[in-house]
Amino acid sequence: MRPRLRVVVALAVLVIVAAACSSAAEPEKTFEQPQQRVDTGPGCDHIVASEGKRFRNVAKSFVLEYLVEASVTPTVCYDEISFVFDPGDGPDLPPAYTVEYKKPPFVEGINTTTEGFKEAKAYLYIEFQPTATVDRRFAGSGRLTYRGNQRLALEPRRPVKIVEWLKDYEDPTPEDLTDDKVIWVIGVDEKRPFTVDSANQPPRVNVIVMR
């Protein structure tokens, strides 16, 4: 075989081998796409959660508490929505609460962003009682205790899509402090198990929505 012909044959073999390697490598590129993968991590399946209603009854000797903070924290196992309160004149205890899946309208006559949010397919209704966002122990119109957003910012690709305070809710009996309440709604991508825990120092309630 002539020298020039040998070079041409060798180049042709290299091109065929390179093309075969490139074709074989392509599936690895599509396989290694962690952006859409949902990690669960060890211990997640040991968290006791369900789709059933959670509640804590109002104490006999009630004391009005005041919402001061609301936040969302994503974790490996769940999204945690935390509500922190000022205990007012009472002991350092969290308020009573009701958390359950509910369909809109959540409160008659009030339209929410959550119910029109297309990514939200299920809704957790949260009611704290007796609680308020204005401390009327101060002169005049009182002092605003919650200065956060009406809707909380969330990370993409999480179960919880929107968290909204029903700011327009008005107490029908303002003279009766025992029924004062603060209402929030959580929009979730689907009906997921959840649980609720509460603690003190400061008084707080955490709603945990499983991934």
Side-chain angles (χ1 to χ4, degrees), residues 1-130:
M1 184 180 291
R2 296 179 182 178
R4 179 174 295 180
L5 185 58
R6 288 176 182 173
V7 172
V8 171
V9 172
L11 288 174
V13 171
L14 288 173
V15 169
I16 293 171
V17 171
C21 291
S22 175
S23 175
E26 284 184 6
E28 295 182 5
K29 292 179 182 178
T30 57
F31 177 77
E32 297 178 353
Q33 296 292 335
Q35 294 88 346
Q36 300 299 326
R37 191 177 65 192
V38 177
D39 297 322
T40 53
C44 294
D45 56 349
H46 297 295
I47 299 174
V48 178
S50 72
E51 297 177 2
K53 179 179 179 179
R54 299 287 198 281
F55 65 92
R56 179 174 182 266
N57 289 326
V58 178
K60 291 182 179 179
S61 56
F62 86 96
V63 175
L64 190 63
E65 299 188 32
Y66 306 94
L67 179 69
V68 295
E69 183 182 339
S71 61
V72 180
T73 304
T75 76
V76 172
C77 301
Y78 51 78
D79 287 347
E80 181 179 74
I81 302 90
S82 299
F83 303 92
V84 181
F85 297 85
D86 179 331
D89 295 325
D92 181 26
L93 295 173
Y97 59 78
T98 298
V99 184
E100 62 182 326
Y101 278 106
K102 192 173 181 180
K103 294 182 179 180
F106 309 110
V107 176
E108 194 67 36
I110 297 179
N111 295 321
T112 66
T113 300
T114 300
E115 60 194 274
F117 202 70
K118 64 179 182 179
E119 294 183 13
K121 308 300 182 183
Y123 313 99
L124 276 171
Y125 173 88
I126 307 169
E127 183 178 292
F128 300 106
Q129 185 180 358

Side-chain angles (χ1 to χ4, degrees), residues 57-66 95-98 107 125-134 136 166 169-183:
N57 289 326
V58 178
K60 291 182 179 179
S61 56
F62 86 96
V63 175
L64 190 63
E65 299 188 32
Y66 306 94
Y97 59 78
T98 298
V107 176
Y125 173 88
I126 307 169
E127 183 178 292
F128 300 106
Q129 185 180 358
T131 56
T133 56
V134 176
R136 301 195 182 281
L166 271 62
Y169 171 76
E170 294 184 6
D171 183 9
T173 56
E175 70 284 354
D176 182 7
L177 300 181
T178 62
D179 67 352
D180 284 10
K181 61 186 68 174
V182 174
I183 300 172

